[in-house]
Amino acid sequence: DAGITQSPRYKITETGRQVTLMCHQTWSHSYMFWYRQDLGHGLRLIYYSAAADITDKGEVPDGYVVSRSKTENFPLTLESATRSQTSVYFCASSESTGGFGTEAFFGQGTRLTVV
Amino acid sequence: TQLLEQSPQFLSIQEGENLTVYCNSSSVFSSLQWYRQEPGEGPVLLVTVVTGGEVKKLKRLTFQFGDARKDSSLHITAAQPGDTGLYLCAGADAGKSTFGDGTTLTVKP
């Protein structure tokens, strides 16, 4: 199906474990983003990518790693999960950075709980 | 870090009422977007405003971008229960978008 999909939708993991959240888009958009959304907060940018093999830090990158070997995939890895990383994670893609108003398309989110 | 402040944080009104939510910043943005998010879903774009002073209408929703491109407002006329959701503004500049914390709107029938 066309669009942007995230997996898994729900994940429970233990403190200290490594966990990877997957994001796949079928539009061949250049830009992809990872955000986290916490209660009482909007979306905070973790990492973004302008193209394959190009990634950059966002507002809250500590504890996360990303890669972009293929245009359509942008996995987010928590190297050693902590309780503070319990959140809903959203992946998004767009044709540009949004500097001139290009729409960002969001996935349905992954709800991650670290116990 | 550029900050976007949205107000009010929560708003509960009766069907048929009008409302306005605000998005303010001390920074200038090249464009500003409004998104609506429903529970369990990702945000969906409602509108993008680019020019200072710009006004856009989307059915019962009216969006305005401040003259200085630092603030924006969303006005809903005759709100309906289907308008219930989280409204997020996002300012774009230098390649990244910064989101406000959102306004949670509840419209009671």
Side-chain angles (χ1 to χ4, degrees), chain B residues 16-72:
Chain B
E17 293 184 358
N18 302 331
L19 67 114
T20 302
V21 297
Y22 300 91
C23 175
N24 295 302
S25 175
S26 58
S27 302
V28 175
F29 293 100
S30 57
S31 68
L32 193 140
Q33 297 176 318
W34 284 92
Y35 289 82
R36 179 166 166 264
Q37 184 180 17
E38 297 190 24
E41 302 292 331
V44 176
L45 183 70
L46 293 173
V47 78
T48 300
V49 285
V50 179
T51 306
E54 182 177 2
V55 176
K56 280 192 174 180
K57 291 191 175 183
L58 184 65
K59 296 184 180 179
R60 294 176 295 100
L61 279 61
T62 301
F63 304 85
Q64 186 164 6
F65 202 13
D67 291 341
R69 306 208 318 274
K70 293 182 179 181
D71 54 83
S72 181

Side-chain angles (χ1 to χ4, degrees), chain A residues 9 31 33 35 37 40-45 48 57-59 90 97-109 111, chain B residues 1 3 9 30-31 33 35 37 40-45 48 50 86 88 91-102:
Chain A
R9 287 295 309 276
Y31 289 88
F33 309 86
Y35 292 91
Q37 186 174 39
H41 289 277
L43 295 160
R44 290 186 289 177
L45 183 64
Y48 68 106
K57 295 179 180 180
E59 181 185 355
F90 286 98
T97 61
F100 290 96
T102 302
E103 180 175 1
F105 294 86
F106 285 83
Q108 290 187 297
R111 184 175 293 276
Chain B
T1 301
L3 296 176
Q9 187 176 0
S30 57
S31 68
Q33 297 176 318
Y35 289 82
Q37 184 180 17
E41 302 292 331
V44 176
L45 183 70
T48 300
V50 179
L86 175 66
L88 294 159
D93 192 62
K96 289 183 285 188
S97 289
T98 301
F99 281 81
D101 285 346

